Every structure is written in structure tokens, then in C-alpha cells.
Amino acid sequence: MESETGGFEFSSSLLKGEELGRRSEELYEEAKRYLPGGVDSPVRSFRAVGGTPLFIERAQGCKIYDVDGRAYIDYVCSWGPLILGHAHPRIVSALQVAAEKGTSYGAPTEKETILARMIVEAVPSIELVRFVNSGTEAVMVAIRLARGFTRRDKIVKFEGCYHGHADSLLVKAGSGALTFGIPDSLGVPAALARDTYLLPFNDIDRARELLDSKGKEIAAVVAEPVAANMGVVPPRPGFLEGLRELTLKHGCLLILDEVITGFRLDYGGAQKRYGVEADLTCLGKIIGGGLPVGAFGGRREIMEQIAPLGQIYQAGTLSGNPLTMTAGIETLKLLRSPGFYESLEERTRHLAEGLREEFGKAGLKGQVNQEGSMLTAFFTEKPVVDYSTAKSSDTALYARFFSRMIQEGIHLAPSQFEAAFLSSAHQEEDIEETIRAARSALRALKQS
Ligand SMILES: *Cc1c(COP(=O)(O)O)cnc(C)c1O
């Protein structure tokens, strides 16, 4: 225990039952005076599950420690970026060295080229890359680029897919927008929403119908190759291949939003895993090693339309930031170690199978969707293949499961419609502990 807590005496500061979460509650009350809802991102609030968000003191490996001195096995992993776990020593020390040299210059550095080269070498469809500061920005600019390149205005997105919060993409969006029942945000001009066609995920026939009739107006089809923002929903065989074929046929661009799946499902992302190549790819999360980041890249002739080479504008004060580039480079280097993805996936499969078994033993209806190192347990008897089946999950039951798991020391996303992420810091014993916790949580649900 001592090595894990780095010498801090967390066990001695553990509070008694009735006092659990007291410091988080105080900090939350104070935060609400200055921040809307006390948070900087709605998904962090516990509104969908009840209770007070945990305020975090520190994190190490697969564990996160709250201000009340409690430790949790963390399956949020900052919503995906931390594939190596928290505070990986190689990344922390590289960041310390980099910070000493200055935190931002607003001028080029070699590190931007190094990380861009690593990305180009990893993802065959990417010839040029531009770094930005968030996944939202990456998808927003990829859409602008697609519209400028094709001289068309319409885009196609899929229900329940989340692509950040740019206006055109906040139509039937996933993640927090789905959790809080505002998939169509106020403030998005109707005209922009009208330029967005919506289709059910995994339904290639509907996509074919739309593209065969409206294809010539459509700049791009944008998709998460594995949906992970309505909970994890893998693509049906042929779905991504079908989108590739249809977009080629109609001269639309295929934008794969790999902000989550990039470097998570494989070093070459979902495109490598499924053998499908995008025209433009959006990245984020893992490539920043836990610092703010986004990137988009793709075919040279398209990417060359962006300023300063072309007429499509995009810029960023802190883009390609040296600290972010450092964390990204160190992360990708570690991901190249042999067997990295195989063992991560193996442990995730073990967790998924364990959860399925516990659902069965508890006599509860559940679906555990797993792809690579991500999974979601849905409280429904229907196989979850799209937005409407994802929404059939009993979110009240999820909320109770979540609270039980928190009490058992397991930190899941405070919403049904999110993925659980594993990192290389999650060891077999952590998986076992999680399955044991789920056993007691699911049994308690069944009994009450
Ligand atoms: C997280 C996410 C985004 C948005 O990235 P931010 O960095 O939060 O702006 C976009 N697309 C997908 C698929 C994501 O999961």
C-alpha cells in the first residue's frame, strides 16, 4: 500500500461512514458559487446519478484519490486519454524537463514534427497533420475543410455519436448531451441544424438511401468508427466499409472521428482494426498524453487547402504546445512496446466476461458491450446496437449501480452513456477486485 500512495498516509485519514465525502461536499458548494453547476464540463457533475462529484486530490497508476482520502480504481481515466494510467513516471519526468525550457513559444518546435511523423507513420490514411487544442476543434475544422474542399454544405452524422460541441454537430449528440437530455442544444441556429442529416448508427441501408438521393449536396459523412459516447457500440460488420464505398461513389469525404479510438483500439486506431481508410481523421485524447489536445489529418490534397497553403482558415495560440507534444510523444513511444494492445484487450475481455457473469448470477438483465480496451454495461435485455437500443437502458438502475460501485471503491463514469476505459496500469488484481465489487453491487440492486 505504501508504494502506491507514495508515502502518504491515506489509510489513517480514512473517514467513518457518515463523514464520507464531506470535504468533496464543501468544495462542491464553494465551486457552485463561481462555476455554473460547480463544474467545467457537464459530464463531471453527478446530476445523472445523484450525489456530489468527487473532488480529486491526486492520482497514480489506475487509482484516483479524492479529497476525503479515499482511493478508487479509476475507469474514467480522464474520459479516455490516460491509456498508460495516471502520472506515468516517464511522462511526468519528460514534462518536468520540458517545462523548465518554457511552456509555450508561439513558434515552431521540432516536437510538433516528431509527433506528426509518429501519427503519419501509425495511420496510413494520414499524410499531413494539424494540431489543435481539443477534439471539438479538430472535428469542427475537419468539417470546415470538407465543406471548403468539396464546395458542398451538408454533412451527415449518426444519432448518439458525439463529435465535440461545435454547432453543426450538436444534433442528436451523445455523451453529456445525451445524458442530460439536451441532444439538440439551444443556441444552435436552425439553419445549421438543417445542414446536418441524421442517420441511425449501424444502418447502412438508410445511409445508402440518403446518399443515393442527396449525395451531391453532402460534403462529408462523419462517424465515430466505434461509437463510444452512447456507451460502447461497435460497428456492425460492413457498416464502415459501406460508408467508405458510398462516400467514394458520391464524392463526399469520409471523416472518421477517432478522438477516442485513435491509439486506443490499436496503434493505428480503428482504421487499422477494421481495414477502412478515412479521407480525414480526427484525433485527440491519447495523443496529448493527458494534456489538452486535438488534431486532424488526412490526404495531402485536402490538407493543403488549409492556411497558410490554402484558403480555409484555422489558427491557434497554444496549438502544438511543447508540453502537450512532449506528453504525446512519450505516450506513443510506450504504446509501441510489443504486445501492449493485446494484453490491454485481454484484461478488458476478462472484465467484460466477469461482468456478464455477475449480471447472470444476480438475475439482472444486462448487456456488456466491449471493444478493445473500452466497455459499457447497459441495463437492458436488448442487444445495444444504436441510439434507440442504448436509450432502452434503465438509467435509474445504472445510477444505483454507479453509487454502489463508488462505495466499493470503483470509479465509473457518472452516466450510463459513456465508456469505461482500461489502462495498462490496471492489473489482473484490479480487474478481480472490480468484478467482486460488481457482484455485491448487482446483488444489492436485485434485492432492493
Ligand atoms: C471527446 C470527444 C470529442 C471532443 O473532444 P474534446 O477534447 O472534449 O473537445 C470529439 N469526438 C469524440 C469521438 C470524443 O470522444
Side-chain angles (χ1 to χ4, degrees), residues 134-136 162-164 224 229 257 259-260 285:
S134 68
T136 294
Y162 179 69
H163 302 292
E224 291 182 67
N229 286 289
D257 179 352
V259 170
I260 280 185
K285 299 195 168 122

Side-chain angles (χ1 to χ4, degrees), residues 27 46 86 131 303 399 440:
L27 291 179
F46 275 23
H86 294 274
F131 290 109
M303 290 299 291
S440 103

Side-chain angles (χ1 to χ4, degrees), residues 263-320:
F263 295 94
R264 173 157 292 275
L265 293 183
D266 187 284
Y267 193 74
Q271 295 179 57
K272 172 83 184 306
R273 193 174 174 99
Y274 294 101
V276 174
E277 295 205 346
D279 298 297
L280 291 173
T281 301
C282 301
L283 296 168
K285 299 195 168 122
I286 287 176
I287 61 161
L291 274 72
V293 79
F296 58 97
R299 265 159 54 204
R300 180 173 299 275
E301 60 168 332
I302 306 171
M303 290 299 291
E304 284 181 344
Q305 303 302 312
I306 201 107
L309 295 178
Q311 292 298 304
I312 297 162
Y313 197 69
Q314 187 278 329
T317 302
L318 293 168
S319 295

